[in-house]
C-alpha cells in the first residue's frame, strides 16, 4: 500500500503503534516494526541515559525503522502556593490508605525543549523517526534533527496546531481526536477544541500538504481504512496495543481493559496535571479539578497516591490510559495484531472494490451493504 507514511519508512502497512510512556516497550516497538508497520518507543518520561538504552535495545531487536517520541511541554513556572493547595486537597485521599502526601512537588520530567542531552542522543543514534507531543520543539532542534536525516512527526488536535506543525517544517502530522487514549497532545490545554478524530482528520487532510496520520478511537483495520477514506496516510493506534504481551501494562490494567467498564473512559487532568483519557476511576471521581497543580508536578503526587493505594490493594488511582475504543481491544501478540489489522484493511478496502464490480456487472449482490441502505 502506497501512502506518504508507508513510502517514508518503506512500511508494508499504514500503521503506527503509538508511543506510550510507561506502557510501550522496545519489545513492542520492535515486534510492530518487524511485522511491517512502524513501532514507537516513548522517551518523554525518562532521562537521556535511559532513552539511549531504550533506543539501543530496540535496535538490537529490529533492523526496521522505528519512531522515538518526546514531550515538548512548556516547563511550568514555580508555584509553591498552587502546589501546596493541590497537596492539601489530596491529603484526605492519602488518609484513606494511612499514607501522607509528599511535602513538595517535583518537575519529574524535563521537557525536550530544554533537554540538550536527549537531543544529542537522538542526533547520535539517528532513529528513522522522532515524534513530538504537547507542542513543537525549537527551530534549532528541528533543523538539527532534519539535518541528521530523521523524519519528524508531531501531534495536532486542531487546524491551527496542524498549520503550526506544517509551518515548522515537520514532515507529518498526527491528528489526535478527542476519543484518543492517553494525554492529549494539545499545545495549550486551556484552548482545547476537543475535535473528534473524524472531523479533525478530514480538516487537516484538506488543509495541509504533509501526510496526516489519524489517531483516536481506531482499534481495527476497518477504522484504519475509514481514516484513509478521509484522506489520512495511515493511522496511529495506542489503546489497541495496550493488551499485547509486549507492553508493560500490569495485571490490573489488563483486567480493566477487558472488563465491563472498559467503555467508561474520561478525559481528566487530575492524575497528571494535563488532560488525558483513561478508564474512569476513583481518583478522577473524588479529586477537586479546580485545584490541580501544573504538569508534570501534579503527576509526581498522582504517582505517589497511586503507589499508596496500590500498596493497600486498591487500583482505583492508577493511570489506566485508554481511548473510547477500549472495549474493541483484542489480546494478541503485537505481530499478530499487525497482521490482523492488515487483513482487515484489505477486506474493508474490498467492500468498495466489490461494490464497483457489482455496479459494473449490474449485479444485486451487496445491495444490502450499509452504504447503500443509507442512500435516499
Ligand atoms: C497508554 C497510553 C500512553 C500514551 N502515551 C503517549 C506518549 O508517551 N506520547 C505520545 O505522543 N502519545 C501518547 N499516547 C497517545 C497516542 O499517541 C495516541 O494519540 C492515542 O493512543 C490514539 O488513540 P487510541 O488510544 O484510541 O488509539 C498514549 C496513549 C495511550 C493509550
Amino acid at each position: 500500500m502506497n501512502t506518504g507514511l508507508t513510502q517514508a519508512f518503506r512500511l508494508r502497512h499504514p500503521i503506527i503503534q503509538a508511543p506510550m510512556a510507561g506502557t510501550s516497550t522496545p519489545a513492542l516497538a520492535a515486534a510492530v516494526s518487524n511485522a511491517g508497520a512502524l513501532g514507537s518507543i516513548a522517551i518523554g518520561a525518562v532521562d537521556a541515559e535511559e532513552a539511549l538504552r531504550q533506543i539501543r535495545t530496540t535496535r538490537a531487536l529490529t533492523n526496521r525503522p522505528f519512531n522515538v517520541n518526546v514531550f515538548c511541554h512548556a516547563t511550568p513556572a514555580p508555584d509553591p502556593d498552587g502546589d501546596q493547595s493541590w497537596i492539601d486537597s489530596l491529603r484526605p485521599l492519602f488518609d484513606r490508605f494511612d499514607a501522607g502526601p509528599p511535602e513538595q512537588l517535583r518537575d519529574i520530567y524535563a521537557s525536550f525543549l530544554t533537554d540538550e542531552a536527549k537531543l544529542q542522543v537522538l542526533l547520535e543514534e539517528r532513529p528513522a523517526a522522532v515524534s513530538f507531543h504537547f507542542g513543537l520543539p525549537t527551530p534549532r532542534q528541528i533543523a538539527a534533527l532534519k539535518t541528521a536525516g530523521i523524519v519528524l512527526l508531531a501531534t495536532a488536535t486542531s487546524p491551527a496546531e496542524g498549520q503550526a506543525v506544517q509551518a515548522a517544517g515537520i514532515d507529518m502530522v498526527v491528528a489526535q481526536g478527542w476519543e484518543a487514549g492517553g494525554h492529549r497532545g494539545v499545545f495549550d490545554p486551556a484552548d482545547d477544541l476537543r475535535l473528534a478524530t473524524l472531523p479533525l482528520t478530514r480538516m487537516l487532510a484538506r488543509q495541509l500538504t504533509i501526510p496526516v496520520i489519524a489517531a483516536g478511537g481506531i482499534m481495527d483495520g476497518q477504522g484504519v481504512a475509514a481514516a484513509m477514506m478521509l484522506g489520512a496516510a495511515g493511522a496511529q493506534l495506542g489503546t489497541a496495543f495496550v493488551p499485547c504481551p509486549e507492553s508493560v501494562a500490569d495485571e490490573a490494567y489488563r483486567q480493566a481493559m477487558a472488563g465491563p467498564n472498559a467503555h467508561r473512559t474520561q478525559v481528566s487532568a487530575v492524575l497528571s496535571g494535563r488532560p488525558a483519557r483513561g478508564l474512569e476511576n476513583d481518583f478522577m471521581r473524588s479529586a477537586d479539578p479546580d485545584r490541580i497543580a501544573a504538569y508534570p508536578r501534579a503527576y509526581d503526587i498522582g504517582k505517589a497516591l497511586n503507589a499508596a493505594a496500590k500498596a493497600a490493594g486498591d487500583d482505583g488511582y492508577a493511570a489506566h490510559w485508554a481511548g473510547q475504543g477500549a472495549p474493541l481491544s483484542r489480546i494478541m501478540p503485537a505481530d499478530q495484531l499487525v497482521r490482523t489489522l492488515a487483513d482487515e484493511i484489505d477486506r474493508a478496502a474490498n467492500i468498495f472494490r466489490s461494490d464497483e464490480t457489482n455496479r459494473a456487472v449490474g449485479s444485486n449482490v451487496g445491495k444490502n451493504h450499509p452504504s447503500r441502505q443509507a442512500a435516499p
Side-chain angles (χ1 to χ4, degrees), residues 18-21 23 42 69 71 133 176 180-182 215-218 236-239 253 321 323:
M20 296 183 282
T23 300
N69 175 256
F71 296 154
H133 208 48
Q176 189 199 37
I218 300 173
Q236 177 162 305
L237 285 64
T239 303
Y253 194 174
W321 303 132

